[in-house]
Amino acid sequence: MPTLSAFIICYKQGHLLGRQLAAFSRQDVQPDEVILIDDASPDNTAELMQRYCESHSNARFIRNQQNMGVIETINIGLRAATGDFVYCAAADDEIQPGFFAAMMEIISAHPECGLAFCDPIWEIAGHAREERYGLAPSSRYFSPDELVALFRALLLRFLPGHCTIWRRAAFVEQGLMRPLLGGVCDSLPMWSVALRYGACYVPRPLALALLSPDTWGQRQGRDRRKVFQDYLALVDALMDDEFADIRPRLRASRILSRNFRALRPLLARGKLFTLLDGIGAARLFLSWFRAELRRMQDTLLGFGPARVAAKADRIAG
């Protein structure tokens, strides 16, 4: 069986960390190593992590001397990991019983895959909601071309990080997480790894993520100027020579048509029809138009930028 490293990153979320640590302890298949990384938290995060390491022989503790931020802390975990495959978890995630067993079973059958993912669970205002992709009746491997077809047919939209185990060499090959990409830093590795090596899918909801206004991803998405800059950097990265091999599949998949925020950066760089075909471009324009109507409606009715629950429902539904 391929080896697995799992790491949990945390910054002043000790009040949530205990739930994730308990979920790790309940797994019937344990990772070969668990790396706990405290990003210089001022709360009891370090104490909780050290206590876990004392009672688990496969665990070790890393504490950043200063706050490095989410992206660089993930990279610290990726550099520290030694397993063939790696799983990155946050303190506000919670893996479900059987997560590692089910994921590593299909990975062992297809070690050539770039990553493996399962159906997600979203926790919104204390209520958990399962999202079923329904891509297959049982666990299976999808080739890069099969993934293109799934994205193109709108059967698959994105692969949530809390549901994904990566082949470490493939992740490192494409350059780890890139701080310049900010809130879309996970898009580049997800697309490049999946479209080069394919992915395994487990049709079970086995990993939960908390959606609230305080999560890192939600905070990143509220700054429209920053989002624009992040997508500009993503478009620039996709046009680098190192990703020339995935651009035809990326274009055929119409992945970039799924998020209206990609429209202005693509137009600004003149790459709309380089990274999207005609139908994908039309979808993106329509998505952008609908989003602008929602934004104007929220402004006129005084709803403001919050609407986290409604946004989460759109994501999950």
Side-chain angles (χ1 to χ4, degrees):
M1 179 177 290
T3 55
L4 172 66
S5 297
F7 61 92
I8 303 173
I9 65 170
C10 184
Y11 175 62
K12 62 178 184 181
Q13 286 189 314
H15 60 292
L16 297 172
L17 178 61
R19 186 172 73 165
Q20 179 70 297
L21 292 176
F24 266 60
S25 296
R26 289 193 296 266
Q27 295 295 306
D28 47 358
V29 170
Q30 286 289 313
D32 296 271
E33 64 176 354
V34 175
I35 305 169
L36 306 179
I37 309 174
D38 173 27
D39 192 18
S41 301
D43 62 2
N44 65 336
T45 292
E47 178 185 350
L48 292 172
M49 288 183 168
Q50 288 174 325
R51 192 181 307 159
Y52 183 92
C53 291
E54 290 170 0
S55 57
H56 294 78
S57 60
N58 64 336
R60 56 191 172 105
F61 174 61
I62 296 175
R63 179 174 171 82
N64 294 342
Q65 294 303 306
Q66 60 183 15
N67 182 254
M68 304 295 291
V70 171
I71 297 175
E72 187 51 47
T73 302
I74 291 175
N75 285 339
I76 289 170
L78 289 169
R79 294 187 188 103
T82 61
D84 301 315
F85 285 80
V86 64
Y87 175 64
C88 172
D92 52 6
D93 298 339
E94 183 183 1
I95 56 175
Q96 304 301 292
F99 173 74
F100 289 133
M103 298 288 274
M104 292 309 294
E105 181 180 4
I106 187 63
I107 285 172
S108 297
H110 298 278
E112 74 277 12
C113 72
L115 54 86
F117 66 100
C118 65
D119 293 335
I121 307 170
W122 308 102
E123 183 177 311
I124 307 163
H127 300 284
R129 175 175 176 174
E130 298 177 357
E131 181 178 5
R132 302 275 186 163
Y133 293 144
L135 304 178
S138 59
S139 298
R140 60 157 293 182
Y141 168 78
F142 288 99
S143 70
D145 289 336
E146 287 175 319
L147 288 176
V148 167
L150 291 174
F151 279 113
R152 189 182 181 93
L154 307 181
L155 296 175
L156 188 61
R157 291 182 292 189
F158 66 103
L159 309 181
H162 70 287
C163 296
T164 304
I165 292 178
W166 307 78
R167 179 146 60 93
R168 187 169 59 89
F171 203 123
V172 172
E173 175 188 63
Q174 63 79 47
L176 302 180
M177 290 287 193
R178 305 186 183 204
L180 189 62
L181 302 185
V184 294
C185 63
D186 55 348
S187 296
L188 186 62
M190 180 190 78
W191 297 340
S192 60
V193 170
L195 295 180
R196 280 174 176 154
Y197 301 104
C200 292
Y201 167 61
V202 175
R204 294 167 56 191
L206 292 173
L208 177 148
L210 176 67
L211 288 181
S212 79
D214 297 326
T215 59
W216 182 80
Q218 294 291 338
R219 293 198 306 271
Q220 294 290 306
R222 286 198 288 268
D223 186 339
R224 298 185 75 195
R225 181 179 178 84
K226 178 66 166 58
V227 170
F228 176 73
Q229 295 298 326
D230 291 347
Y231 268 98
L232 276 180
L234 177 61
V235 172
D236 290 342
L238 288 170
M239 295 309 301
D240 286 347
D241 290 343
E242 64 181 304
F243 298 111
D245 61 317
I246 70 162
R247 280 200 293 271
R249 284 179 176 146
L250 185 71
R251 186 175 187 273
S253 71
R254 301 171 183 157
I255 291 176
L256 278 166
S257 71
R258 312 307 298 271
N259 195 321
F260 67 93
R261 292 169 171 175
L263 178 62
R264 288 177 55 237
L266 283 168
L267 291 174
R269 290 294 191 251
K271 301 300 180 184
L272 181 65
F273 291 103
T274 303
L275 297 176
L276 282 172
D277 61 10
I279 294 176
R283 279 183 187 169
L284 185 56
F285 271 106
L286 181 60
S287 175
W288 175 84
F289 181 69
R290 287 173 174 169
E292 285 299 299
L293 284 181
R294 284 197 302 267
R295 186 176 67 84
M296 288 189 290
Q297 181 185 42
D298 287 353
T299 301
L300 290 172
L301 297 179
F303 290 143
R307 286 206 169 191
V308 173
K311 180 185 289 187
D313 281 341
R314 288 198 296 272
I315 291 172

